[in-house]
Amino acid sequence: MMREVAWRLFAGEYNDANLEVEGTGERAPSYVVTPLGAKVNRIFVVGVITDIENVGTDMQPMWRARVSDPTGTFHVYAGQYQPEAAAALSKLKPPVFGAIVGKSRVYQPDSGGTYTSIRPEVIKAVDERVRDFWILEACRSMRKRLDAMSEAQKMEPLTKEGLTQIGVKQALAEGIVQAAGHYGKADLARYTAMLAEALRYLLPEYREGRPPEAEPTAAEPGAKPEAKEPEEPNADEDRVLEVITALDKDGKGAPWEGILDAAGKAGVAKDKLEESINSLLDKGLIYEPILGRMKKI
């Protein structure tokens, strides 16, 4: 069986996906199809690993990590069936730039909702240049999907053959037809804005800080990932969200020192602030676009 290509994809697009389809043939792979038609079995992402936690047990660890890019946060789970990735993840000390190649995954609990994640095959600490190059590659890939989807929206009827005739590669053409059938008309303006935000992130004035190098520790694999219900922010988190919004005056995110100071004045103690920040990251209400800055989604 041919090895699947690893898509370069931003978290903002990946996390919008809720369509999973099966391939054909023996040992058919499964794919996550995004609203722009990326048909993803394997994915390659580079970002800032901001948090690593064992959500399993000491005997059967399951490592969960958050990886931030300019558009949002990927959730990565590595357990007993990904021993090399789990071992590598357990040895990293965030924040650190990380490159991850892994399998796409969609989880739909009985209670409703859809959650995307990555089951890693390889995880490595990288430097800022690799992250910036990945952003550029992900922008190029997204631009192609935007152009192809724009042409697709003009077609009546929309067919895979029609797309391939105008130069769209077969895999993307299939994904676009499936995406259009499931999601309806894609909001191209939203994804164009996402692309512009990612490109803006490469400007020199957006480059601040550099994460520390990864340090060795210990660990192993095990257990099942836990999916969370979407939750509303509590009172402390609401105040922290207001602080982050008020301090994000230049669009680069609110600086941590400013959040700490303003949250204190708003009556949120430092330990409660850290707890609220972690909870808001878990709920997908904020992300860390640049080291040391928080931005509301």
Side-chain angles (χ1 to χ4, degrees), residues 48-157:
V48 180
I49 299 176
T50 59
D51 186 85
I52 299 172
E53 180 184 8
N54 179 12
V55 295
T57 64
D58 290 341
M59 296 298 292
Q60 285 194 314
M62 168 61 75
W63 295 97
R64 180 178 66 189
R66 282 189 287 259
V67 183
S68 293
D69 75 7
T71 69
T73 303
F74 294 101
H75 292 86
V76 177
Y77 290 89
Q80 61 178 324
Y81 299 112
Q82 304 83 39
E84 292 180 7
L89 196 56
S90 69
K91 293 173 184 174
L92 296 179
K93 185 176 180 181
V96 60
F97 292 119
I100 295 104
V101 176
K103 294 281 190 179
S104 60
R105 186 169 183 266
V106 168
Y107 178 64
Q108 294 174 321
D110 294 338
S111 51
T114 302
Y115 304 88
T116 55
S117 64
I118 299 173
R119 190 183 307 152
E121 298 170 329
V122 180
I123 297 177
K124 286 188 177 179
V126 296
D127 60 27
E128 191 175 10
R129 290 177 306 165
V130 174
R131 190 279 311 271
D132 290 348
F133 185 73
W134 176 84
I135 290 176
L136 192 58
E137 286 292 296
C139 284
R140 286 174 176 154
S141 179
M142 191 178 200
R143 180 74 263 173
K144 288 179 182 174
R145 291 193 296 283
L146 278 166
D147 289 344
M149 184 58 85
S150 176
E151 291 301 319
Q153 291 182 352
K154 300 173 190 171
M155 291 183 176
E156 185 59 48

Side-chain angles (χ1 to χ4, degrees), residues 17 20 32 45 47 106-107 111 120 167 177 186 195 210 218 228 256 272 286:
E20 188 171 31
V32 173
V45 305
V106 168
Y107 178 64
S111 51
V177 172
L195 175 63
R210 183 181 290 271
K228 291 189 171 183
W256 172 250
K272 282 288 183 186
I286 61 172

